[in-house]
Amino acid sequence: QITLKESGPTLVKPTQTLTLTCTVSGVSLSARGVGVGWLRQPPGKAPEWLALIYWNDDERYSPTLNRRLSIAKGTSGNQVVLTMTNMDLADTATYYCALKYFWNGYPSTWGQGTLVTVSS
Amino acid sequence: DIQMTQFPSTLSASVGDRVTITCRASQNVRRWLAWYQQKPGKAPNVLIYDASSLESGVPSRFSGSGSGTEFTLTISSLQPDDFATYYCQQYNTSSQTFGPGTKVEFK
């Protein structure tokens, strides 16, 4: 069974940098075709793709947010880390990580999500 | 970016009703479209991918159709567990945009 779980701060201040970790079990992040991405969902709104990293370290970013985002695999081998700089009140959202295979266009397995609030 | 619209935004229905939700794309996305169900406090759960393929484990009362710019999600006989918000998502482009959602509520 494949599971993903997000972890990180629940509260950040404006202008700070957010770092979130996705811990994956049940699949190897180095297996061909495996990708892990991050999405977010502001309260009452639709989800939005942020970033994705594939088994071969190919990185993809949202065109509108790419200047603020960085995605990387963690040193443990089963983690993916998202960094978002210059956080703003509008970045308050539930952040999800999700599994996406290279040959599928859609994220097939999602984590439970973590609510991040931006407030001074 | 490709813009996705959905209608209706809210749908009132009863158990046993046939329900149809429409999703439109601002550009041709071929058949690269998925439908998700989301319940409060939970992550979205994929129902349909590639416009009409049923994800494993999803009940057969859910079906999808369409191609190009217009798509539909149909629930043939609404069950109590189906009251939720439904989103479409295009993945024809790397931006993979979602529709604004359709909330299915008790009539």
Side-chain angles (χ1 to χ4, degrees):
Chain A
Q1 182 187 4
I2 296 172
T3 62
L4 302 93
K5 187 170 185 179
E6 305 86 354
S7 58
T10 58
L11 179 66
V12 297
K13 290 180 167 44
T15 76
Q16 286 187 334
T17 294
L18 172 68
T19 300
L20 294 172
T21 300
C22 177
T23 301
V24 182
S25 62
V27 66
S28 170
L29 299 187
S30 59
R32 182 175 175 79
V34 171
V36 173
W38 286 91
L39 304 94
R40 69 179 180 181
Q41 186 173 28
K45 295 188 177 181
E48 173 188 22
W49 262 106
L50 299 176
L52 173 69
I53 188 165
Y54 282 115
W55 82 101
N56 58 359
D57 296 331
D58 181 16
E59 299 170 21
R60 309 285 175 90
Y61 293 97
S62 160
T64 56
L65 293 168
N66 64 350
R67 291 186 177 184
R68 300 174 51 203
L69 296 172
S70 177
I71 192 169
K73 293 178 186 174
T75 54
S76 67
N78 67 334
Q79 292 183 330
V80 172
V81 179
L82 178 77
T83 302
M84 179 180 284
T85 61
N86 195 24
M87 293 291 285
D88 181 77
L89 301 182
D91 296 314
T92 293
T94 297
Y95 287 74
Y96 296 98
C97 60
L99 181 72
K100 178 190 170 307
Y101 293 102
F102 182 77
W103 47 80
N104 287 342
Y106 62 97
S108 54
T109 305
W110 297 54
Q112 63 188 20
T114 184
L115 176 62
V116 177
T117 301
V118 183
S119 175
S120 55
Chain B
D1 274 2
I2 295 177
Q3 306 303 315
M4 307 299 291
T5 56
Q6 284 181 239
F7 55 90
S9 57
T10 305
L11 189 158
S12 299
S14 301
V15 173
D17 284 353
R18 182 180 180 87
V19 167
T20 299
I21 299 169
T22 300
C23 174
R24 286 194 178 141
S26 60
Q27 300 174 38
N28 183 1
V29 299
R30 297 181 287 173
R31 294 184 61 81
W32 305 132
L33 185 116
W35 288 97
Y36 298 84
Q37 178 193 69
Q38 187 176 32
K39 296 182 178 178
K42 301 293 187 182
N45 183 46
V46 62
L47 302 172
I48 301 287
Y49 63 94
D50 295 352
S52 61
S53 297
L54 194 67
E55 180 76 354
S56 175
V58 174
S60 59
R61 63 181 179 272
F62 292 94
S63 64
S65 64
S67 65
T69 61
E70 186 151 336
F71 302 85
T72 58
L73 172 72
T74 299
I75 309 172
S76 60
S77 177
L78 196 67
Q79 299 302 301
D81 192 48
D82 300 339
F83 291 93
T85 299
Y86 293 84
Y87 294 97
C88 61
Q89 180 213 10
Q90 67 82 16
Y91 43 94
N92 186 60
T93 64
S94 59
S95 58
Q96 300 204 1
T97 43
F98 287 78
T102 295
K103 184 177 182 180
V104 177
E105 61 182 21
F106 286 102
K107 192 171 186 179

